[in-house]
Amino acid sequence: MQMPSKRVRIVTGAAALAAVGLTAVGAVAVAAPEKSGKSTAATAGEAPAQSVVATDHLTVAAATKAAQAALTAAEKADQHVSVSVVDRNGNTLVTLRGDGAGPQSYQASQAKAFTAVSWNAPTSALAKRLETAPTLKDIPGTLFLAGGAPVQAKGAPIAGVGVAGAPSGDQDEQFAQAGVAALNG
């Protein structure tokens, strides 16, 4: 079988690239969301839509609203706490360290928020699980003390609110729940 000439290979390659380019441009034109809000197809090189999982995320504004509501609830109870809100992946969105809050409360509030979103449960309920599964406490970044509450959308966790610094975990969790409630109201 004879090899095509260099010129034929270049022309054929250019035509193939042009076809791919037109297909990609067409896909981008179809995939790019229009201002009208119509859904679109994936661009060349992206995973097919059925391979992509969409999740809800809390905005920074909403996280700040939740943190401020929790801090305000603590201040009304004359408690000096830190409040953290983390996203679904456990990344900190906002942390507020209240006036007079102890130095340990900053990291503890983040760990409680992380724990609550990781298990989609209040940390007070999770602390009870340590009786039957004591090694849970060995998971890095977690803190199985009352004071964390998950934020849910459509039954799935999208964030966690953690509060630390009050004399009891029950109070911390009450303040965290005030933060969650601020998002629902």
Side-chain angles (χ1 to χ4, degrees):
M1 177 185 237
Q2 185 178 11
M3 184 81 137
S5 71
K6 185 175 182 179
R7 180 175 175 207
V8 170
R9 287 188 309 219
I10 291 172
V11 171
T12 305
L17 285 174
V20 169
L22 288 175
T23 302
V25 169
V28 170
V30 173
E34 296 179 12
K35 293 186 182 193
S36 65
K38 295 178 183 175
S39 64
T40 57
T43 60
E46 289 187 7
Q50 65 270 23
S51 300
V52 177
V53 176
T55 60
D56 293 318
H57 289 274
L58 202 59
T59 65
V60 171
T64 302
K65 179 180 179 180
Q68 189 59 59
L71 186 60
T72 298
E75 288 170 345
K76 286 181 182 176
D78 200 30
Q79 297 302 313
H80 307 285
V81 301
S82 289
V83 180
S84 293
V85 180
V86 301
D87 68 11
R88 174 62 187 110
N89 300 319
N91 300 310
T92 303
L93 293 170
V94 64
T95 298
L96 300 177
R97 185 173 177 271
D99 295 335
Q104 78 289 354
S105 66
Y106 190 90
Q107 286 183 328
S109 69
Q110 290 175 331
K112 289 179 181 184
F114 175 78
T115 306
V117 74
S118 295
W119 276 272
N120 193 23
T123 54
S124 59
L126 296 170
K128 294 174 186 167
R129 292 185 191 176
L130 290 178
E131 295 170 10
T132 57
T135 56
L136 280 178
K137 70 181 179 335
D138 298 334
I139 298 172
T142 59
L143 185 58
F144 291 88
L145 298 174
V151 176
Q152 298 179 351
K154 302 172 195 160
I158 62 166
V161 178
V163 177
S168 76
D170 291 339
Q171 284 182 301
D172 285 341
E173 198 156 308
Q174 178 185 351
F175 306 143
Q177 291 292 352
V180 173
L183 297 174
N184 298 328

